[in-house]
Amino acid sequence: MAYIKDFSDFCKAVPTRNPGKIKAAMVFNHYLSRLVMLAKSELNWVNLPLEIPEIILEENLLFNQRCVFFKDDVTETYNALPAVCNSRINRYRQPAGVMAYGADGFNYSVNLTKREGVLIYDNYNAQPLINDLILFAQRMTDTLLTIDVNLAQQRVPIVWRTTKQGKRNVEKALEGQSDAAVAIVTDNTLSEDGAQPLYQPVPYIAGNLQTELEKIWAEALTFIGIVNVDEKAERLNSFEVGSQIEEVVSQLNTRLKPRREACQQINDIFGLDLDVIPASWVLARDRSNTLGRTAEEPETEAEEKDQTGEVVNNDNT
């Protein structure tokens, strides 16, 4: 049971009290959910057997670092399930056999030899990618919460000096100021019930933090293998754009190559024709095909009629 992982295992529990902790947990789960969805949908499997859900296969790789592809002798169906080592490893640290298990725990488990199943690794480090996505989600959460605090501190002074009666007056006045971190210091030597701010709100840094948040998001997308330009296009020259794309491709290959190597072994053993291609390649191919058809066809019906008319006139002359 300890090996079963799903998205909820990596989310932070939302507490029932303390609004600050509730917000922090919700923001973290929001960013982690977005990164997980992007990581699961970036690589597309080609000619994958219909009985294997592609999204579950990628989820298992993301959370469990590896899966095993095999054919069930009883049901005569192909499977790609998480696996644990149940034998000694060879000189290349590869197990001679593994045990595949289903999402229902060990109610479904199959022991497989090296020739009966092919291991698929998520990346060349053979480590769950979810750990890195959690780090990015936490960094973005901390940055966004700091932005919110800085914005709240722009509205009112955060420390007041007043009498006890003045304290009650200030608290009543600040009831509508939600999320404002306010401290009130009483001073019985004051003769009036007014309040004096000890110092003004902190400097505005939310703009710089927003830029930092965008950089962290761009770094996370690059780590997943998704092209993302975090600056305006006119500020980048061709060399800088090319460098960013090369970095994305290099990072994507750390996830793409292990899958393709596994596909070669699967095809050799089971006679299939599996392959894996990035989703960005599919979009680029579809866009190229669309542009190609548009260039070959007349732009408008009127233009096609004009061309026909010119041919007729030439024949008359």
Side-chain angles (χ1 to χ4, degrees), residues 255-275:
R255 303 178 60 214
L256 178 62
K257 286 187 175 182
R259 286 166 172 79
R260 284 192 158 178
E261 291 175 359
C263 286
Q264 292 179 357
Q265 299 180 35
I266 293 172
N267 295 338
D268 293 339
I269 295 176
F270 300 101
L272 299 178
D273 189 23
L274 295 187
D275 195 8

Side-chain angles (χ1 to χ4, degrees), residues 13-84:
V14 180
T16 56
R17 297 182 179 180
N18 193 325
K21 292 184 178 180
I22 293 176
K23 181 178 181 181
M26 293 179 65
V27 172
F28 173 84
N29 294 340
H30 165 75
Y31 280 121
L32 183 61
S33 175
R34 293 177 63 184
L35 293 176
V36 167
M37 286 190 293
L38 292 173
K40 290 194 299 185
S41 59
E42 174 56 24
L43 296 173
N44 294 344
W45 289 77
V46 180
N47 299 324
L48 187 69
L50 297 178
E51 57 264 33
I52 300 178
E54 179 179 349
I55 193 67
I56 302 301
L57 170 58
E58 283 296 325
E59 183 176 287
N60 288 332
L61 290 173
L62 183 67
F63 296 157
N64 299 284
Q65 84 179 357
R66 64 186 175 188
C67 289
V68 60
F69 186 98
F70 65 99
K71 187 174 184 179
D72 193 304
D73 295 335
V74 178
T75 61
E76 293 294 324
T77 58
Y78 293 103
N79 296 271
L81 297 175
V84 292

